[in-house]
Amino acid sequence: MVRRKIINIDRGLCNGCGQCVMDCAEGAIELRDGKAHVISDRFCDGLGACLGGCPTGALTIVERDSEDFDEEAVKEHLGKKTCDDIPIQACPGSGPRRFKAHPTGEVGAVASQLSNWPIQIRLVPPNAPYLRNAKLLIAADCSAFACGGIHRDFIKDRVVLIGCPKLDDNEEFVDKLAAIFKAAEPQDVALLHMEVPCCRVSKKLVRLAIERSGKMIPMKEYMVTVEGGAVQQMA
């Protein structure tokens, strides 16, 4: 036993929304009898990434005697999770899903290559099973409308995450990606952004997230023009 900082959950304040389960990259929290519960002290790193999303203030960081954080145990624990283990919360559409891309039956139509849901970075649980060791596509929201071949050239065989470096809070953007990178240890990242200056900052944000995660993750950067979707690979 060691004395360290660790999460504390006030069950009287907890409303069972499941947001902390979604936010915990280590999978340390689950819902039991409609309330959030720390599965094991070994899985909690005490950094408090789950605090900000709690709508009732039920989560706090305390200092007490507990088992030390065990990163190897966390990896083993996450390896056993499936999409069914992640709570759906109030909206049924927020539950993580992995599926196969299906070819369209319409002549001349373009088949969707999307294979995961949700795709919005703010909604994706860092411990979603489909993220593990995946090839990631981090795409600016607008790129899907400007890049005509996005399904063929970028989404195919990749797990998709989308966001907007201008409209999203940059610090939350970086912290969420860092949590995903740390938990999932992706093979690589393809970054697709628009040519406009406010979108180009996404390169800096993704690199910062990789740095914060402590992982070595290769990244390729692509830029889309606004006039017709020409894609340029950046050095």
Side-chain angles (χ1 to χ4, degrees):
M1 302 286 283
V2 296
R3 191 163 188 83
R4 68 182 182 92
K5 292 182 178 180
I6 196 165
I7 197 72
N8 181 71
I9 302 173
D10 186 330
R11 291 177 63 84
L13 292 177
C14 177
N15 65 1
C17 73
Q19 184 61 48
C20 56
V21 183
M22 304 272 283
D23 290 342
C24 180
E26 291 74 30
I29 305 174
E30 67 178 24
L31 292 181
R32 292 184 182 176
D33 300 323
K35 300 285 185 178
H37 175 82
V38 176
I39 302 170
S40 171
D41 288 355
R42 293 185 304 155
F43 300 156
C44 177
D45 60 10
L47 297 180
C50 53
L51 297 182
C54 180
T56 65
L59 277 64
T60 55
I61 294 292
V62 299
E63 188 170 324
R64 63 172 173 81
D65 292 333
S66 71
E67 292 181 279
D68 206 354
F69 175 63
D70 188 336
E71 190 167 357
E72 291 303 315
V74 168
K75 289 182 180 179
E76 182 179 354
H77 169 61
L78 291 178
K80 296 176 181 178
K81 279 186 169 292
T82 69
C83 287
D84 292 335
D85 296 321
I86 310 295
I88 291 179
Q89 297 181 288
C91 173
S94 67
R97 286 178 279 168
R98 184 70 189 266
F99 43 86
K100 291 183 179 180
H102 296 290
T104 179
E106 300 178 20
V107 178
V110 177
S112 171
Q113 297 299 317
L114 190 66
S115 63
N116 65 281
W117 188 265
I119 60 176
Q120 167 55 242
I121 291 172
R122 296 174 67 181
L123 300 179
V124 174
N127 57 357
Y130 57 72
L131 293 168
R132 294 185 208 126
N133 201 229
K135 291 178 175 290
L136 298 183
L137 170 65
I138 299 177
D141 295 349
C142 301
S143 64
F145 298 92
C147 179
I150 191 171
H151 281 267
R152 179 194 64 221
D153 299 333
F154 293 99
I155 295 178
K156 182 177 173 59
D157 299 325
R158 288 189 175 272
V159 168
V160 178
L161 303 174
I162 66 169
C164 177
K166 181 175 182 178
L167 300 181
D168 295 344
D169 180 277
N170 282 181
E171 192 63 26
E172 290 182 6
F173 187 94
V174 171
D175 283 345
K176 186 60 174 288
L177 283 181
I180 288 172
F181 294 156
K182 182 180 178 181
E185 299 189 45
Q187 296 180 45
D188 61 34
V189 169
L191 172 64
L192 185 65
H193 62 77
M194 301 301 298
E195 65 174 333
V196 293
C198 58
C199 198
R200 291 190 186 189
V201 74
S202 58
K203 177 181 179 179
K204 178 180 178 180
L205 299 179
V206 174
R207 287 199 180 280
L208 182 56
I210 292 175
E211 180 182 329
R212 286 189 186 177
S213 74
K215 305 298 180 180
M216 298 292 291
I217 305 172
M219 184 182 83
K220 289 184 178 180
E221 177 193 4
Y222 301 88
M223 185 176 71
V224 187
T225 63
V226 297
E227 290 87 358
V231 176
Q232 176 184 359
Q233 183 170 349
M234 310 299 287

